[in-house]
């Protein structure tokens, strides 16, 4: 302890204003940091003490006058130290101060107090977060319960973490039995023919790996072509989920990866039973097929008889009669084209088309088509060029389908390019991994490119261009005639070929279509 013996000094009104150190022990100096205090007044040794610590004079004054001891803690500002002091008086106006330096204890106390406050703040934050979490969880529960589609969530490894009621009903599994199991083991998926879809090929694995949403083809509606939007990967073909009791149902599947801090941490798989949709679609397609077949007979008869009349078989025609007959012939030809297109669509959709694969010289097929179109090219005064690489292999393909693809794209280019425009066609071979028009080609392929300087496709309608019966606004106004089925057929065929078709286009400038046909043929079953 430090000890100082002091004499109190009072002013004329008896107020304590200073004190003189009469004695101090040897601990005084190390504890206070003050030297040679004996004989000096505190106001001399610690200037400013009167204003910084007026209570010191009050307390010592009281003790020295009354003789009643007092204990107190004080922070002496100018020394920046805390002291615990016991003050006694053995003689009136004199006092002894016994003190300890408690700065460290005080600092510790302050730290503890700060820590307490910090802990309290953290606790309060946690409570708020917990509340919010509970709210979010309640929302999620409600959303999951109210969704009519099956929802399964998985972690990065494909372990099931949640399964909503709809999924439980659709699959026959209880959520508590499913959680913790691998989705791949618990709910196998197979294709139309009953072949199990391997782990890596499941939509969920693809979504987890690619970090992009993945959907499967369900019907022939627009949905099937959402693949053209780069964020969503579409898998052609229909997948079947196997229930707990081993029965199966066709499903429309959509998987979205769960991304946290830029990393994929899991996925949400959404699915619904599309048995009914597929039945309705099939009935629709069958109806179109039947109606088209029935229409073909009468229309062909009209065409044939108009041709007979025009050839003079039924006697000479007046100019007016000839005119009517030509109108009739033209209309019947257009109608036959439409019915043909409809028949092709229904055959492709029903999968009723037998592929006839034979060694095919792609360029020869294209040249045949150009020969047929030569008249129209000349009539419109189109500058037409074709560039062919000299390393093109013969590929195994169905020539009729390949012809259909090229005819549709080339006749569009001709139809939608004004007179004196340009059409450039090129055929080349690309190796796996090469890029064509910014797009990476996944296998060795032949690329057919057809570029025109026509009216282009409006940007806001480009995502619908492969949909059934779709025609863009700018060509409707041209009155150019068309069914809106050509590109739909092209897309169906390319899906069947395992190839790709895409385009880039700018209104008023032109359109370039790309077709990529894999050299090693993969026939995909994309029928409904
Ligand atoms: P259509 O019988 O109307 O040509 P398609 O299915 O072949 O039907 O094409 C669908 C639509 O795509 C067309 O109506 C047109 O709006 C657009 N389109 C296709 N090719 C071209 C092109 N080369 N230039 C401009 N628009 C095109």
């Amino acid at each position: 302890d430090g000890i100082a013996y002091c004499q109190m000094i009072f002013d004329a009104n008896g107020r304590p204003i200073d004190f003189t150190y009469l004695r101090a022990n040897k601990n005084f100096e190390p504890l206070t940091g003050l030297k040679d205090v004996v004989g000096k007044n505190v106001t001399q040794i610690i200037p400013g003490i009167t204003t910084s610590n007026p209570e010191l004079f009050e307390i010592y004054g009281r003790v020295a006058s009354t003789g009643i001891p007092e204990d107190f803690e004080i922070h002496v500002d100018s020394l920046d130290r805390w002291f615990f002091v016991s003050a006694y008086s053995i003689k009136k106006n004199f006092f002894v101060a016994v003190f300890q330096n408690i700065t460290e204890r005080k600092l510790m106390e302050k730290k503890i107090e700060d820590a307490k406050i910090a802990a309290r703040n953290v606790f309060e934050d946690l409570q708020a977060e917990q509340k919010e979490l509970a709210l979010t969880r309640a929302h999620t529960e409600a959303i999951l319960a109210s969704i009519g589609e099956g929802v399964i969530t998985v972690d990065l490894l494909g372990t099931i973490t949640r399964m909503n009621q709809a999924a439980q009903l659709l699959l026959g599994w209880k959520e508590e039995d499913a959680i913790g199991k691998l989705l791949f083991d618990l709910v196998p998926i197979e294709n139309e023919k009953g072949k199990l879809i391997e782990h890596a090929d499941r939509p969920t694995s693809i979504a987890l790996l690619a970090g992009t949403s993945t959907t499967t083809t369900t019907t022939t509606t627009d949905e099937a072509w959402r693949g053209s939007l780069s964020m969503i990967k579409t898998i052609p073909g229909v997948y079947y989920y196997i229930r707990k009791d081993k029965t199966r149902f066709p499903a429309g599947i959509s998987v979205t990866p769960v991304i946290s801090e830029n990393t994929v941490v899991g996925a949400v798989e959404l699915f619904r039973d599309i048995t009914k949709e597929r039945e309705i679609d099939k009935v629709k397609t069958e109806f179109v097929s039947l109606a088209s077949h029935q229409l073909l007979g009468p229309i062909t008869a009209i065409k044939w008889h108009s041709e007979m009349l025009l050839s003079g078989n039924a006697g000479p025609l007046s100019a007016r009669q000839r005119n009517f007959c030509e109108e009739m012939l033209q209309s019947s030809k257009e109608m036959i084209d439409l019915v043909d297109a409809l028949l092709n669509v229904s055959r492709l959709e029903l999968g009723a088309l037998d592929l006839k694969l034979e060694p095919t010289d792609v360029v020869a097929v294209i040249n045949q088509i150009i020969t047929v179109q030569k008249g129209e090219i000349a009539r419109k005064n189109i500058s037409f060029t074709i560039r062919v690489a000299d390393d093109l292999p013969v590929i195994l393909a169905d020539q009729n389908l390949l012809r259909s693809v090229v005819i549709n794209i080339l006749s569009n280019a001709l139809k939608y390019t004004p007179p004196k425009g340009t059409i450039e066609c090129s055929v080349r071979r690309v190796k796996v991994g090469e890029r064509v028009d910014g797009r990476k080609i996944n296998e060795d392929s032949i690329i057919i490119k057809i570029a025109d300087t026509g009216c282009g496709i409006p940007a806001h309608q480009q995502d619908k261009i492969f949909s059934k019966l779709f025609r863009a606004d700018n060509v409707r106004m041209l009155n150019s005639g068309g069914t809106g089925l050509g590109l739909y057929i092209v897309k169906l065929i390319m899906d069947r070929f395992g190839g790709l078709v895409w385009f880039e286009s700018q209104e008023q400038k032109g359109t370039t279509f790309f077709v990529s046909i894999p050299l090693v043929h993969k026939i995909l079953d994309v029928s409904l």
Side-chain angles (χ1 to χ4, degrees), residues 415-418 452 454-462 465 470-481 505-511:
K415 195 160 51 173
Y416 301 123
T417 302
D452 65 49
C455 63
I457 301 167
H460 72 283
Q461 292 186 312
Q462 292 191 355
I465 229 66
F470 184 81
R471 306 198 66 218
D473 294 341
N474 60 339
V475 311
R476 280 171 200 271
M477 291 187 306
L478 285 180
N479 230 345
S480 54
S505 182
Q506 236 180 319
E507 229 181 325
Q508 313 281 17
K509 290 240 164 82
T511 306

mmCIF file of all heavy atoms in Angstrom, residues 415-418 452 454-462 465 470-481 505-511:
data_model
loop_
_atom_site.group_PDB
_atom_site.id
_atom_site.type_symbol
_atom_site.label_atom_id
_atom_site.label_comp_id
_atom_site.label_asym_id
_atom_site.label_seq_id
_atom_site.Cartn_x
_atom_site.Cartn_y
_atom_site.Cartn_z
ATOM 1 N N LYS A 415 -37.374 -16.810 -99.441
ATOM 2 C CA LYS A 415 -38.681 -16.171 -99.262
ATOM 3 C C LYS A 415 -38.535 -14.820 -98.571
ATOM 4 O O LYS A 415 -39.211 -13.852 -98.908
ATOM 5 C CB LYS A 415 -39.542 -17.109 -98.414
ATOM 6 C CG LYS A 415 -41.007 -16.803 -98.415
ATOM 7 C CD LYS A 415 -41.841 -18.017 -97.990
ATOM 8 C CE LYS A 415 -41.395 -18.653 -96.698
ATOM 9 N NZ LYS A 415 -42.249 -19.693 -96.202
ATOM 10 N N TYR A 416 -37.633 -14.748 -97.588
ATOM 11 C CA TYR A 416 -37.563 -13.537 -96.766
ATOM 12 C C TYR A 416 -36.443 -12.587 -97.170
ATOM 13 O O TYR A 416 -36.132 -11.649 -96.458
ATOM 14 C CB TYR A 416 -37.448 -13.919 -95.285
ATOM 15 C CG TYR A 416 -38.636 -14.746 -94.837
ATOM 16 C CD1 TYR A 416 -38.490 -16.019 -94.284
ATOM 17 C CD2 TYR A 416 -39.929 -14.254 -95.012
ATOM 18 C CE1 TYR A 416 -39.583 -16.772 -93.910
ATOM 19 C CE2 TYR A 416 -41.043 -15.004 -94.641
ATOM 20 C CZ TYR A 416 -40.859 -16.263 -94.101
ATOM 21 O OH TYR A 416 -41.956 -16.999 -93.738
ATOM 22 N N THR A 417 -35.796 -12.857 -98.322
ATOM 23 C CA THR A 417 -34.773 -11.929 -98.819
ATOM 24 C C THR A 417 -35.337 -11.197 -100.040
ATOM 25 O O THR A 417 -35.845 -11.842 -100.960
ATOM 26 C CB THR A 417 -33.483 -12.697 -99.208
ATOM 27 O OG1 THR A 417 -33.035 -13.408 -98.061
ATOM 28 C CG2 THR A 417 -32.391 -11.760 -99.673
ATOM 29 N N PRO A 418 -35.302 -9.886 -100.024
ATOM 30 C CA PRO A 418 -35.888 -9.132 -101.138
ATOM 31 C C PRO A 418 -35.060 -9.313 -102.416
ATOM 32 O O PRO A 418 -33.891 -9.717 -102.345
ATOM 33 C CB PRO A 418 -35.844 -7.685 -100.652
ATOM 34 C CG PRO A 418 -34.830 -7.666 -99.587
ATOM 35 C CD PRO A 418 -34.755 -9.021 -98.994
ATOM 36 N N ASP A 452 -28.427 -14.927 -95.105
ATOM 37 C CA ASP A 452 -29.122 -14.107 -96.096
ATOM 38 C C ASP A 452 -29.107 -12.644 -95.688
ATOM 39 O O ASP A 452 -28.732 -12.300 -94.566
ATOM 40 C CB ASP A 452 -30.567 -14.605 -96.291
ATOM 41 C CG ASP A 452 -31.424 -14.441 -95.056
ATOM 42 O OD1 ASP A 452 -31.435 -13.341 -94.474
ATOM 43 O OD2 ASP A 452 -32.098 -15.423 -94.662
ATOM 44 N N GLY A 454 -31.876 -10.771 -95.752
ATOM 45 C CA GLY A 454 -33.315 -10.537 -95.797
ATOM 46 C C GLY A 454 -33.829 -9.652 -94.673
ATOM 47 O O GLY A 454 -33.070 -8.890 -94.066
ATOM 48 N N CYS A 455 -35.130 -9.836 -94.372
ATOM 49 C CA CYS A 455 -35.812 -8.919 -93.439
ATOM 50 C C CYS A 455 -35.423 -9.158 -91.978
ATOM 51 O O CYS A 455 -35.706 -8.336 -91.122
ATOM 52 C CB CYS A 455 -37.318 -9.047 -93.608
ATOM 53 S SG CYS A 455 -37.909 -10.691 -93.184
ATOM 54 N N GLY A 456 -34.788 -10.282 -91.690
ATOM 55 C CA GLY A 456 -34.362 -10.545 -90.306
ATOM 56 C C GLY A 456 -35.525 -10.936 -89.406
ATOM 57 O O GLY A 456 -36.695 -10.900 -89.816
ATOM 58 N N ILE A 457 -35.172 -11.321 -88.185
ATOM 59 C CA ILE A 457 -36.195 -11.746 -87.220
ATOM 60 C C ILE A 457 -36.168 -10.772 -86.046
ATOM 61 O O ILE A 457 -35.107 -10.531 -85.466
ATOM 62 C CB ILE A 457 -35.901 -13.191 -86.723
ATOM 63 C CG1 ILE A 457 -35.880 -14.148 -87.921
ATOM 64 C CG2 ILE A 457 -36.932 -13.631 -85.705
ATOM 65 C CD1 ILE A 457 -35.304 -15.511 -87.626
ATOM 66 N N PRO A 458 -37.307 -10.176 -85.703
ATOM 67 C CA PRO A 458 -37.318 -9.207 -84.605
ATOM 68 C C PRO A 458 -36.745 -9.817 -83.320
ATOM 69 O O PRO A 458 -37.086 -10.966 -82.986
ATOM 70 C CB PRO A 458 -38.808 -8.876 -84.422
ATOM 71 C CG PRO A 458 -39.477 -9.322 -85.677
ATOM 72 C CD PRO A 458 -38.642 -10.407 -86.272
ATOM 73 N N ALA A 459 -35.888 -9.062 -82.635
ATOM 74 C CA ALA A 459 -35.189 -9.585 -81.443
ATOM 75 C C ALA A 459 -36.172 -10.165 -80.424
ATOM 76 O O ALA A 459 -35.928 -11.235 -79.859
ATOM 77 C CB ALA A 459 -34.355 -8.488 -80.810
ATOM 78 N N HIS A 460 -37.301 -9.490 -80.222
ATOM 79 C CA HIS A 460 -38.199 -9.930 -79.146
ATOM 80 C C HIS A 460 -38.970 -11.208 -79.506
ATOM 81 O O HIS A 460 -39.652 -11.773 -78.655
ATOM 82 C CB HIS A 460 -39.166 -8.806 -78.761
ATOM 83 C CG HIS A 460 -40.220 -8.535 -79.796
ATOM 84 N ND1 HIS A 460 -39.944 -7.828 -80.939
ATOM 85 C CD2 HIS A 460 -41.519 -8.902 -79.865
ATOM 86 C CE1 HIS A 460 -41.051 -7.752 -81.670
ATOM 87 N NE2 HIS A 460 -42.015 -8.392 -81.043
ATOM 88 N N GLN A 461 -38.827 -11.660 -80.766
ATOM 89 C CA GLN A 461 -39.549 -12.892 -81.120
ATOM 90 C C GLN A 461 -38.601 -14.044 -81.440
ATOM 91 O O GLN A 461 -39.038 -15.127 -81.798
ATOM 92 C CB GLN A 461 -40.462 -12.612 -82.321
ATOM 93 C CG GLN A 461 -41.589 -11.658 -81.920
ATOM 94 C CD GLN A 461 -42.597 -11.455 -83.031
ATOM 95 O OE1 GLN A 461 -42.209 -11.208 -84.160
ATOM 96 N NE2 GLN A 461 -43.867 -11.545 -82.691
ATOM 97 N N GLN A 462 -37.298 -13.787 -81.261
ATOM 98 C CA GLN A 462 -36.327 -14.803 -81.668
ATOM 99 C C GLN A 462 -36.435 -16.094 -80.855
ATOM 100 O O GLN A 462 -36.133 -17.170 -81.347
ATOM 101 C CB GLN A 462 -34.907 -14.237 -81.598
ATOM 102 C CG GLN A 462 -34.705 -13.158 -82.648
ATOM 103 C CD GLN A 462 -33.275 -12.729 -82.819
ATOM 104 O OE1 GLN A 462 -32.407 -13.156 -82.093
ATOM 105 N NE2 GLN A 462 -33.043 -11.863 -83.792
ATOM 106 N N ILE A 465 -39.001 -18.752 -82.407
ATOM 107 C CA ILE A 465 -38.951 -19.022 -83.841
ATOM 108 C C ILE A 465 -39.082 -20.508 -84.169
ATOM 109 O O ILE A 465 -39.562 -20.875 -85.236
ATOM 110 C CB ILE A 465 -37.669 -18.371 -84.447
ATOM 111 C CG1 ILE A 465 -38.054 -17.568 -85.688
ATOM 112 C CG2 ILE A 465 -36.616 -19.362 -84.828
ATOM 113 C CD1 ILE A 465 -38.904 -16.396 -85.462
ATOM 114 N N PHE A 470 -45.464 -20.728 -85.429
ATOM 115 C CA PHE A 470 -45.085 -19.340 -85.146
ATOM 116 C C PHE A 470 -44.548 -18.635 -86.383
ATOM 117 O O PHE A 470 -43.715 -19.159 -87.113
ATOM 118 C CB PHE A 470 -44.044 -19.272 -84.027
ATOM 119 C CG PHE A 470 -43.719 -17.852 -83.661
ATOM 120 C CD1 PHE A 470 -44.553 -17.144 -82.805
ATOM 121 C CD2 PHE A 470 -42.652 -17.192 -84.249
ATOM 122 C CE1 PHE A 470 -44.292 -15.819 -82.507
ATOM 123 C CE2 PHE A 470 -42.389 -15.867 -83.961
ATOM 124 C CZ PHE A 470 -43.208 -15.183 -83.085
ATOM 125 N N ARG A 471 -45.040 -17.437 -86.628
ATOM 126 C CA ARG A 471 -44.512 -16.588 -87.706
ATOM 127 C C ARG A 471 -44.286 -15.197 -87.108
ATOM 128 O O ARG A 471 -45.147 -14.671 -86.418
ATOM 129 C CB ARG A 471 -45.498 -16.501 -88.875
ATOM 130 C CG ARG A 471 -45.925 -17.877 -89.394
ATOM 131 C CD ARG A 471 -46.529 -17.795 -90.775
ATOM 132 N NE ARG A 471 -45.540 -17.383 -91.748
ATOM 133 C CZ ARG A 471 -45.794 -16.569 -92.774
ATOM 134 N NH1 ARG A 471 -47.000 -16.077 -92.937
ATOM 135 N NH2 ARG A 471 -44.841 -16.239 -93.617
ATOM 136 N N ALA A 472 -43.148 -14.605 -87.402
ATOM 137 C CA ALA A 472 -42.833 -13.298 -86.808
ATOM 138 C C ALA A 472 -43.697 -12.197 -87.432
ATOM 139 O O ALA A 472 -44.184 -12.341 -88.559
ATOM 140 C CB ALA A 472 -41.354 -12.992 -87.003
ATOM 141 N N ASP A 473 -43.868 -11.119 -86.661
ATOM 142 C CA ASP A 473 -44.744 -10.016 -87.116
ATOM 143 C C ASP A 473 -44.303 -9.448 -88.462
ATOM 144 O O ASP A 473 -45.122 -9.168 -89.328
ATOM 145 C CB ASP A 473 -44.722 -8.884 -86.084
ATOM 146 C CG ASP A 473 -45.359 -9.339 -84.786
ATOM 147 O OD1 ASP A 473 -46.103 -10.346 -84.824
ATOM 148 O OD2 ASP A 473 -45.092 -8.704 -83.742
ATOM 149 N N ASN A 474 -42.965 -9.283 -88.625
ATOM 150 C CA ASN A 474 -42.497 -8.597 -89.843
ATOM 151 C C ASN A 474 -42.765 -9.392 -91.119
ATOM 152 O O ASN A 474 -42.922 -8.814 -92.181
ATOM 153 C CB ASN A 474 -41.014 -8.220 -89.727
ATOM 154 C CG ASN A 474 -40.114 -9.419 -89.519
ATOM 155 O OD1 ASN A 474 -40.572 -10.473 -89.077
ATOM 156 N ND2 ASN A 474 -38.853 -9.279 -89.855
ATOM 157 N N VAL A 475 -42.856 -10.753 -91.015
ATOM 158 C CA VAL A 475 -43.120 -11.503 -92.244
ATOM 159 C C VAL A 475 -44.625 -11.652 -92.500
ATOM 160 O O VAL A 475 -45.046 -11.785 -93.634
ATOM 161 C CB VAL A 475 -42.424 -12.886 -92.286
ATOM 162 C CG1 VAL A 475 -40.975 -12.786 -91.912
ATOM 163 C CG2 VAL A 475 -43.142 -13.898 -91.417
ATOM 164 N N ARG A 476 -45.408 -11.593 -91.414
ATOM 165 C CA ARG A 476 -46.865 -11.618 -91.607
ATOM 166 C C ARG A 476 -47.271 -10.463 -92.495
ATOM 167 O O ARG A 476 -48.135 -10.557 -93.338
ATOM 168 C CB ARG A 476 -47.591 -11.467 -90.278
ATOM 169 C CG ARG A 476 -47.662 -12.721 -89.480
ATOM 170 C CD ARG A 476 -48.194 -12.355 -88.103
ATOM 171 N NE ARG A 476 -47.877 -13.374 -87.144
ATOM 172 C CZ ARG A 476 -48.663 -14.416 -86.908
ATOM 173 N NH1 ARG A 476 -49.795 -14.543 -87.537
ATOM 174 N NH2 ARG A 476 -48.314 -15.319 -86.030
ATOM 175 N N MET A 477 -46.608 -9.307 -92.253
ATOM 176 C CA MET A 477 -46.961 -8.104 -93.006
ATOM 177 C C MET A 477 -46.539 -8.219 -94.475
ATOM 178 O O MET A 477 -47.125 -7.601 -95.330
ATOM 179 C CB MET A 477 -46.303 -6.883 -92.363
ATOM 180 C CG MET A 477 -46.924 -6.582 -91.008
ATOM 181 S SD MET A 477 -46.367 -5.060 -90.284
ATOM 182 C CE MET A 477 -44.627 -5.215 -90.294
ATOM 183 N N LEU A 478 -45.492 -9.041 -94.714
ATOM 184 C CA LEU A 478 -44.994 -9.179 -96.093
ATOM 185 C C LEU A 478 -45.957 -9.955 -96.978
ATOM 186 O O LEU A 478 -45.838 -9.938 -98.194
ATOM 187 C CB LEU A 478 -43.656 -9.942 -96.092
ATOM 188 C CG LEU A 478 -42.422 -9.205 -95.620
ATOM 189 C CD1 LEU A 478 -41.227 -10.140 -95.701
ATOM 190 C CD2 LEU A 478 -42.184 -7.992 -96.519
ATOM 191 N N ASN A 479 -46.890 -10.668 -96.341
ATOM 192 C CA ASN A 479 -47.825 -11.490 -97.088
ATOM 193 C C ASN A 479 -47.092 -12.528 -97.936
ATOM 194 O O ASN A 479 -47.458 -12.771 -99.084
ATOM 195 C CB ASN A 479 -48.669 -10.587 -98.002
ATOM 196 C CG ASN A 479 -50.127 -10.926 -97.802
ATOM 197 O OD1 ASN A 479 -50.444 -11.978 -97.228
ATOM 198 N ND2 ASN A 479 -51.008 -10.066 -98.270
ATOM 199 N N SER A 480 -46.037 -13.093 -97.372
ATOM 200 C CA SER A 480 -45.171 -13.965 -98.153
ATOM 201 C C SER A 480 -45.685 -15.403 -98.224
ATOM 202 O O SER A 480 -45.183 -16.192 -99.003
ATOM 203 C CB SER A 480 -43.779 -13.962 -97.521
ATOM 204 O OG SER A 480 -43.917 -14.298 -96.160
ATOM 205 N N GLY A 481 -46.682 -15.722 -97.444
ATOM 206 C CA GLY A 481 -47.168 -17.096 -97.438
ATOM 207 C C GLY A 481 -46.238 -17.973 -96.635
ATOM 208 O O GLY A 481 -45.025 -17.792 -96.658
ATOM 209 N N SER A 505 -29.720 -13.178 -85.995
ATOM 210 C CA SER A 505 -30.481 -12.382 -86.945
ATOM 211 C C SER A 505 -30.621 -10.952 -86.463
ATOM 212 O O SER A 505 -30.669 -10.693 -85.261
ATOM 213 C CB SER A 505 -31.870 -13.001 -87.095
ATOM 214 O OG SER A 505 -32.614 -12.268 -88.037
ATOM 215 N N GLN A 506 -30.643 -10.058 -87.441
ATOM 216 C CA GLN A 506 -30.869 -8.655 -87.118
ATOM 217 C C GLN A 506 -31.927 -8.149 -88.090
ATOM 218 O O GLN A 506 -31.797 -8.360 -89.307
ATOM 219 C CB GLN A 506 -29.573 -7.876 -87.321
ATOM 220 C CG GLN A 506 -29.152 -7.141 -86.068
ATOM 221 C CD GLN A 506 -27.877 -6.381 -86.315
ATOM 222 O OE1 GLN A 506 -26.968 -6.882 -86.968
ATOM 223 N NE2 GLN A 506 -27.805 -5.175 -85.818
ATOM 224 N N GLU A 507 -32.926 -7.526 -87.547
ATOM 225 C CA GLU A 507 -34.009 -7.057 -88.412
ATOM 226 C C GLU A 507 -33.451 -6.100 -89.458
ATOM 227 O O GLU A 507 -32.559 -5.297 -89.146
ATOM 228 C CB GLU A 507 -35.079 -6.377 -87.556
ATOM 229 C CG GLU A 507 -36.451 -6.888 -87.895
ATOM 230 C CD GLU A 507 -37.537 -6.208 -87.089
ATOM 231 O OE1 GLU A 507 -37.285 -5.890 -85.908
ATOM 232 O OE2 GLU A 507 -38.599 -5.993 -87.641
ATOM 233 N N GLN A 508 -33.963 -6.180 -90.657
ATOM 234 C CA GLN A 508 -33.564 -5.343 -91.811
ATOM 235 C C GLN A 508 -32.167 -5.676 -92.345
ATOM 236 O O GLN A 508 -31.785 -5.213 -93.400
ATOM 237 C CB GLN A 508 -33.557 -3.830 -91.483
ATOM 238 C CG GLN A 508 -34.773 -3.322 -90.751
ATOM 239 C CD GLN A 508 -35.954 -3.100 -91.676
ATOM 240 O OE1 GLN A 508 -35.977 -3.608 -92.803
ATOM 241 N NE2 GLN A 508 -36.934 -2.345 -91.204
ATOM 242 N N LYS A 509 -31.381 -6.446 -91.585
ATOM 243 C CA LYS A 509 -30.015 -6.735 -92.045
ATOM 244 C C LYS A 509 -29.911 -8.133 -92.634
ATOM 245 O O LYS A 509 -29.348 -8.323 -93.702
ATOM 246 C CB LYS A 509 -29.034 -6.647 -90.859
ATOM 247 C CG LYS A 509 -28.834 -5.225 -90.374
ATOM 248 C CD LYS A 509 -27.374 -4.846 -90.502
ATOM 249 C CE LYS A 509 -27.132 -3.356 -90.406
ATOM 250 N NZ LYS A 509 -27.076 -2.869 -89.045
ATOM 251 N N GLY A 510 -30.449 -9.118 -91.902
ATOM 252 C CA GLY A 510 -30.357 -10.480 -92.419
ATOM 253 C C GLY A 510 -30.308 -11.523 -91.318
ATOM 254 O O GLY A 510 -30.310 -11.194 -90.123
ATOM 255 N N THR A 511 -30.275 -12.765 -91.762
ATOM 256 C CA THR A 511 -30.342 -13.887 -90.830
ATOM 257 C C THR A 511 -29.321 -14.942 -91.251
ATOM 258 O O THR A 511 -29.124 -15.158 -92.446
ATOM 259 C CB THR A 511 -31.750 -14.522 -90.885
ATOM 260 O OG1 THR A 511 -32.705 -13.488 -90.667
ATOM 261 C CG2 THR A 511 -31.932 -15.597 -89.851
#
